[in-house]
Amino acid sequence: MPDIPLQSTYELGETASRLIDDLSRISADEDKLTRLYLTPEHRKAADLVGEWMRQAGLEVTEDSLGTVRGRLSSPSTANSKKRLLIGSHIDTVIDGGKFDGSLGVICAILAAREIRKRGMELPFDIDVLAFGDEEGVRFPTTLLSSSALAGTVPPGELDACDSDGISVAAALREFGGDPENIGGIKEDPDKVIGYLEVHIEQGPVLENEELPIGIVTSLAGAERHWITVQGEAGHAGTVPMDIRRDALSVAADLIGAIEVAAKSAKRDSVVATIGSLEVSPGAVNVIPAEVKMTLDLRAAREEPRAAAIEAIKAEAARISEKRGCRIEFDQFHEVKTSPCAQVFQDAAERAIASMNIRPHRLMSGAGHDGQAMKALTEIGMLFVRCRNGISHNPAEHVSVEDMGVAVEAMVRWVAEIAQEGAGA
């Protein structure tokens, strides 16, 4: 594969930057970026992305849940009709950054455009996908549009309502979708080669490695628990320290134990976060009677995550017996680890090395549409360096140079997959 002059890569980055800026102007708020699923802003963004796909020479359609699809057909696929899916999402969090999700969609469009311009013959079609419910902000749903392609949308999911009482089904009809046709969205796994995605890292690893791009090994599995510590209220001035059943002190012991458990398993990328804590009764002169807190636990593989929660629960039992406070765990969320296909990782490594960039592999601690697509097909993912690791924040930033590298890496990644004979 020939070397690409730096200026050509930079020009790709300039184009990506311009499109990012154009898309970021579509927001529900004048002074910040908010673009939620099935809102008028999502409608405008979907229409704009569809127009960019047409300009890139793609055949554009939109499915019943609002996913925009641009197809680049290859003459060599007349009989096989197999497809390589590439995409990301165009919804945002409230007051979010302009690169999260959107960069992946724009990189996919520009990569497809480059493949067409360069006359690259592929043994498969390319479908560029712009999903709409990755963030899960407006409705109590997440990954709805990508889950529909995988055929894994739970029954009754379209009945979920937003804070104004509007259901997903009603919002879909207003958007122009068809909630009655959700079953017709499912892809045939025999016709899909895999799903690829470019996404900002949302962390500091690549910046610390001084690398513009990296290869994702897996999307972390995660589980979430409510932890309740039940103690006994008492007067802050009259109950001696050694006979107190202080729920907050016990919770502090447990939080320390949770941190130790995660740090001892850092080789398996185990991370644990206590993100919310409620103290009752919450008075300055009353010993806390109850603490409720959340635990978010993630890991690169299932076994270390399972071992970590068992270690945490065992330590909780020990603390409970020693301190005389009851500790209960109530799990309310779990998503399995989604490993990226080795063949896609290896193809990405060859593509990145061909650009004279040191290949580096890393885990994704955040969730992505790939976790839903994993139920349909094998997945692959590239991360792009994000300044200071900041995301879900207006300060989110990717350089023009790194965006250009990401587009070119995607082109070469697809070429490497094609050379492996996928879809033939």
Side-chain angles (χ1 to χ4, degrees):
M1 191 177 298
D3 287 337
I4 303 297
L6 180 61
Q7 183 61 32
S8 296
T9 304
Y10 189 82
E11 288 170 0
L12 290 174
E14 286 186 316
T15 302
S17 180
R18 175 173 53 81
L19 299 183
I20 284 284
D21 287 343
D22 288 348
L23 194 56
S24 71
R25 296 187 185 99
I26 302 175
S27 173
D29 300 306
E30 188 173 330
D31 57 347
K32 57 187 178 183
L33 177 54
T34 301
R35 190 167 56 242
L36 307 186
Y37 181 48
L38 301 181
T39 58
E41 296 73 40
H42 179 202
R43 177 70 271 163
K44 291 177 183 176
D47 291 342
L48 181 59
V49 165
E51 181 56 31
W52 290 341
M53 290 177 177
R54 291 185 188 92
Q55 292 172 4
L58 311 184
E59 179 185 348
V60 181
T61 58
E62 186 175 308
D63 73 22
S64 300
L65 283 184
T67 298
V68 185
R69 181 189 303 252
R71 177 166 297 174
L72 178 64
S73 297
S74 173
S76 63
T77 63
N79 295 322
S80 69
K81 293 296 182 184
K82 287 199 172 184
R83 301 184 295 276
L84 179 65
L85 310 180
I86 309 174
S88 195
H89 62 97
I90 56 174
D91 63 320
T92 75
V93 296
I94 296 171
D95 196 14
K98 62 184 178 181
F99 298 92
D100 181 0
S102 297
L103 179 60
V105 174
I106 288 168
C107 281
I109 293 172
L110 294 181
R113 186 196 70 174
E114 288 300 303
I115 288 168
R116 181 172 174 269
K117 283 175 58 178
R118 299 177 195 185
M120 296 169 56
E121 293 191 11
L122 304 175
F124 45 73
D125 292 345
I126 291 176
D127 279 8
V128 175
L129 304 171
F131 295 120
D133 184 42
E134 196 267 359
E135 299 293 3
V137 176
R138 180 181 179 187
F139 301 99
T141 61
T142 306
L143 307 177
L144 184 57
S145 45
S146 49
S147 295
L149 265 66
T152 58
V153 176
E157 195 82 341
L158 300 192
D159 296 330
C161 293
D162 65 12
S163 59
D164 294 322
I166 300 171
S167 69
V168 176
L172 266 173
R173 293 188 185 96
E174 181 70 20
F175 188 82
D178 181 6
E180 305 303 322
N181 189 43
I182 189 171
I185 297 174
K186 185 180 185 302
E187 289 277 356
D188 181 351
D190 293 334
K191 294 183 179 180
V192 176
I193 295 164
Y195 171 75
L196 308 181
E197 183 169 356
V198 169
H199 203 282
I200 59 172
E201 183 196 349
Q202 300 177 287
V205 175
L206 291 175
E207 190 170 60
N208 290 341
E209 293 286 336
E210 299 184 345
L211 291 170
I213 199 164
I215 304 159
V216 177
T217 57
S218 68
L219 310 184
E223 59 187 88
R224 294 173 182 170
H225 301 257
W226 275 108
I227 302 176
T228 303
V229 180
Q230 192 68 52
E232 183 176 67
H235 195 290
T238 62
V239 181
M241 295 298 293
D242 57 354
I243 62 172
R244 292 186 178 198
R245 295 173 58 216
D246 184 333
L248 184 55
S249 293
V250 172
D253 287 350
L254 180 57
I255 291 170
I258 289 170
E259 185 174 30
V260 169
K263 285 183 175 179
S264 66
K266 66 179 181 180
R267 63 180 296 177
D268 293 302
S269 300
V270 173
V271 291
T273 303
I274 305 296
S276 173
L277 188 144
E278 302 171 4
V279 181
S280 178
V284 66
N285 60 347
V286 180
I287 298 167
E290 182 182 83
V291 170
K292 294 195 72 171
M293 57 189 183
T294 57
L295 167 64
D296 182 300
L297 183 67
R298 307 185 187 213
R301 296 185 295 114
E302 296 300 294
E303 294 82 359
R305 179 163 58 89
I309 192 62
E310 286 305 311
I312 289 169
K313 287 182 176 180
E315 189 62 16
R318 187 193 67 79
I319 293 171
S320 174
E321 182 175 1
K322 178 182 177 181
R323 300 292 299 271
C325 289
R326 188 170 72 252
I327 302 175
E328 297 177 345
F329 288 73
D330 180 18
Q331 183 172 323
F332 64 90
H333 170 80
E334 181 178 26
V335 60
K336 300 295 184 182
T337 303
S338 300
C340 295
Q342 192 66 45
V343 65
F344 291 160
Q345 292 185 53
D346 293 344
E349 180 164 321
R350 293 192 299 273
I352 291 171
S354 76
M355 300 174 68
N356 297 317
I357 297 171
R358 174 171 59 88
H360 181 79
R361 304 195 188 203
L362 68 165
M363 182 198 76
S364 171
H368 301 284
D369 284 298
Q371 287 177 303
M373 297 298 283
K374 182 67 176 175
L376 170 71
T377 187
E378 295 291 349
I379 64 172
M381 195 167 202
L382 294 180
F383 270 167
V384 185
R385 176 168 49 191
C386 185
R387 188 170 65 191
N388 297 325
I390 294 173
S391 182
H392 284 189
N393 184 310
E396 189 177 274
H397 178 78
V398 179
S399 72
V400 170
E401 293 86 351
D402 287 359
M403 284 189 274
V405 167
V407 174
E408 184 59 37
M410 173 61 79
V411 173
R412 296 182 183 218
W413 193 15
V414 171
E416 290 290 347
I417 292 169
Q419 288 180 6
E420 286 288 317

